[in-house]
Amino acid sequence: MRGITRARFMGMAAGAGGAVVLPVGRAGATGRRPGLTHRGVVYEVTDGETPSTGWSAGRMRRDLRAIAHDLHADSVKVTGDGVERLTATAAEAAELGLNVWLEPALGDVPEREILDHLAETGRFAERLRRRGAGVHLSVGCEFVLYVPGIVPGANAQERVEHLLKGDFDPVLMARRLHRFTAKAASVGRSVFHGRLTYAAAQDEDVDWGLFDLVGVDYYGWFRDRNAYVRDLAALRRFGKPVAVMEFGCCTFEGAPEKGGMGWDVVDHGKKPPEIKGGLVRSERTQAAYLTDVLSVFESMGLYSAMAYTFVTPDAPHRPRDPRHDLDMASYGIVKTIEDRRGGWHWEPKESFHALARQYARARHCRRSGQATVRRPPPAVAGTPRTIRCAHSAASSSPSRSGSSISRPRRDSMRSRRW
């Protein structure tokens, strides 16, 4: 996708989403012991806005080592376009012992090219799986936004504009979305024999009978933790494990409330782009939101959760220049620091450290044969939550009726090139 980042695009789509509430599928229920099965982070493989911020094999290897050893994740979702970089990244992740969630996300090209791209990536995922790696395949992300022909528009940005204006036929859109999703699922099944899923928008109408896991990009926000539980519990009616394919927020006070519109704090009409007035940078806010919702996922025993995202190279942190601190509008758990010679490196945010503590604790719980449960909320609002272990035989599942999630949505544009 060219000319607009995934982050900016998803925010636009989120704004349109209020006018497009699609019907949902059939009911069902599934029960699990407390705690997630997989915990990880999204790692994007796309072109950058400059050669130095694009994907590179060397940087990818260093990043994945940090994800495995410092973040203590057991999984990584590798998403983007370009079969070579998708497969190289997936292979490296598997070599490090990470569970690989491979998600080809080619957009704004003819359907046949998208499906061929999926098939080639899926064949590699199957070879990796047969060699003993833990692999899941997602057939794509929010097709209504990235696949031509479902709604009017020659590219993603035009499609968002049509959605915002209500210039589309919702019945025809749903029919076309169902048709393409079925094609993608069929292609995925034909080349991959492990667990199959799809990263859907929260209101997207999906026939989950085509998939093994219910996958959702989740950017909800509630004041009441119980509201999160109620919101997420609706996903269980399909009778399949629930995979949170993305969750996160930006890095300023009030970002969780903006959810999918968090990106929209940058004035791109200015040269260079600048942060709109009145915002206060807050890594603590981002860390608290991520750990809060993660604790809900844990308490409900959802299948997996992937924090969005690891790094956004084209959104540098400029501590001495708050007006141009584009990292405030980033969902990354690390911040991009510009070097004097035109390069860059990253440094962990508070959210990285907060997730690392939770992921490490969960790994310890699993190794010791204990369940992972949520600790009661701290007395101070905005403090990152922690999790604790409870002996499986001695503890019951946390109440499912005390937590829910709303959904201010984030920006979900594939080929998110910050």
Side-chain angles (χ1 to χ4, degrees), residues 145-307:
L145 303 179
Y146 311 118
V147 176
I150 296 176
V151 295
N155 54 48
Q157 190 163 1
E158 288 186 13
R159 288 193 286 278
V160 171
E161 291 170 358
H162 282 288
L163 288 168
L164 289 170
K165 295 174 182 176
D167 182 19
F168 65 97
D169 181 336
V171 174
L172 183 59
M173 179 186 72
R175 185 183 309 136
R176 289 171 173 171
L177 177 61
H178 291 164
R179 179 189 57 79
F180 185 80
T181 303
K183 284 185 179 181
S186 178
V187 169
R189 290 281 185 210
S190 71
V191 297
F192 181 74
H193 305 300
R195 282 189 149 178
L196 195 72
T197 190
Y198 164 65
Q202 284 172 242
D203 286 335
E204 197 168 326
D205 177 18
V206 178
D207 177 4
W208 291 112
L210 300 170
F211 301 99
D212 302 302
L213 305 170
V214 173
V216 63
D217 292 344
Y218 193 83
Y219 293 87
W221 178 80
F222 293 94
R223 294 185 184 278
D224 177 14
R225 182 177 182 273
N226 292 336
Y228 284 111
V229 172
R230 290 191 296 272
D231 194 45
L232 287 164
L235 298 172
R236 286 184 158 158
R237 67 189 180 278
F238 303 104
K240 297 188 176 184
V242 175
V244 179
M245 303 297 284
E246 299 179 6
F247 72 100
C249 77
C250 292
T251 317
F252 56 88
E253 292 180 358
E257 292 92 324
K258 289 185 176 291
M261 294 301 292
W263 62 273
D264 194 28
V265 298
V266 179
D267 185 347
H268 290 276
K270 299 288 182 64
K271 300 298 180 185
E274 63 182 48
I275 298 295
K276 297 173 183 177
L279 290 182
V280 177
R281 179 182 177 84
S282 177
E283 293 188 16
R284 183 183 181 88
T285 295
Q286 184 192 42
Y289 174 77
L290 264 65
T291 53
D292 280 351
V293 293
L294 179 64
S295 71
V296 175
F297 304 152
E298 294 277 9
S299 72
M300 296 181 69
L302 302 187
Y303 183 68
S304 63
M306 304 291 158

Side-chain angles (χ1 to χ4, degrees), residues 81 83 86 103-124 137-141 143 146-148 150 176-192 196 198 211:
D81 53 31
V83 173
L86 281 166
E103 182 183 88
L106 181 64
D108 287 349
V109 297
E111 282 190 8
R112 188 68 262 162
E113 291 184 34
I114 294 173
L115 295 174
D116 288 346
H117 183 263
L118 166 61
E120 191 172 352
T121 307
R123 281 189 283 269
F124 177 84
L137 178 66
S138 170
V139 300
C141 173
F143 289 146
Y146 311 118
V147 176
I150 296 176
R176 289 171 173 171
L177 177 61
H178 291 164
R179 179 189 57 79
F180 185 80
T181 303
K183 284 185 179 181
S186 178
V187 169
R189 290 281 185 210
S190 71
V191 297
F192 181 74
L196 195 72
Y198 164 65
F211 301 99

Side-chain angles (χ1 to χ4, degrees), residues 317-384:
H317 172 45
R318 296 174 176 133
R320 295 182 179 85
D321 185 9
R323 191 169 62 175
H324 298 103
D325 181 11
L326 300 185
D327 180 67
M328 289 174 64
S330 165
Y331 292 80
I333 61 172
V334 303
K335 51 196 170 191
T336 298
I337 308 297
E338 296 171 312
D339 298 331
R340 292 180 179 178
R341 296 182 179 180
W344 63 279
H345 67 279
W346 60 257
E347 295 177 3
K349 294 185 190 177
E350 288 186 31
S351 56
F352 182 100
H353 295 300
L355 285 175
R357 288 190 293 271
Q358 296 232 36
Y359 287 175
R361 186 65 170 169
R363 180 177 293 182
H364 169 74
C365 292
R366 174 166 294 184
R367 288 175 177 172
S368 62
Q370 297 174 316
T372 306
V373 299
R374 182 184 181 280
R375 187 170 282 171
V380 181
T383 300

Side-chain angles (χ1 to χ4, degrees), residues 3-17:
I4 178 172
T5 68
R6 169 171 164 76
R8 290 185 62 200
F9 182 71
M10 258 328 279
M12 295 168 70

Side-chain angles (χ1 to χ4, degrees), residues 8-69:
R8 290 185 62 200
F9 182 71
M10 258 328 279
M12 295 168 70
V20 189
V21 179
L22 300 177
V24 294
R26 59 184 179 279
T30 184
R32 282 184 25 79
R33 65 175 177 75
L36 292 157
T37 299
H38 298 293
R39 303 164 185 84
V41 67
V42 176
Y43 189 80
E44 296 173 287
V45 297
T46 60
D47 296 325
E49 292 181 1
T50 68
S52 68
T53 56
W55 180 90
S56 77
R59 189 180 297 277
M60 172 270 289
R61 294 187 186 100
R62 293 190 294 272
D63 292 348
L64 290 180
R65 286 196 294 271
I67 289 169
H69 303 312

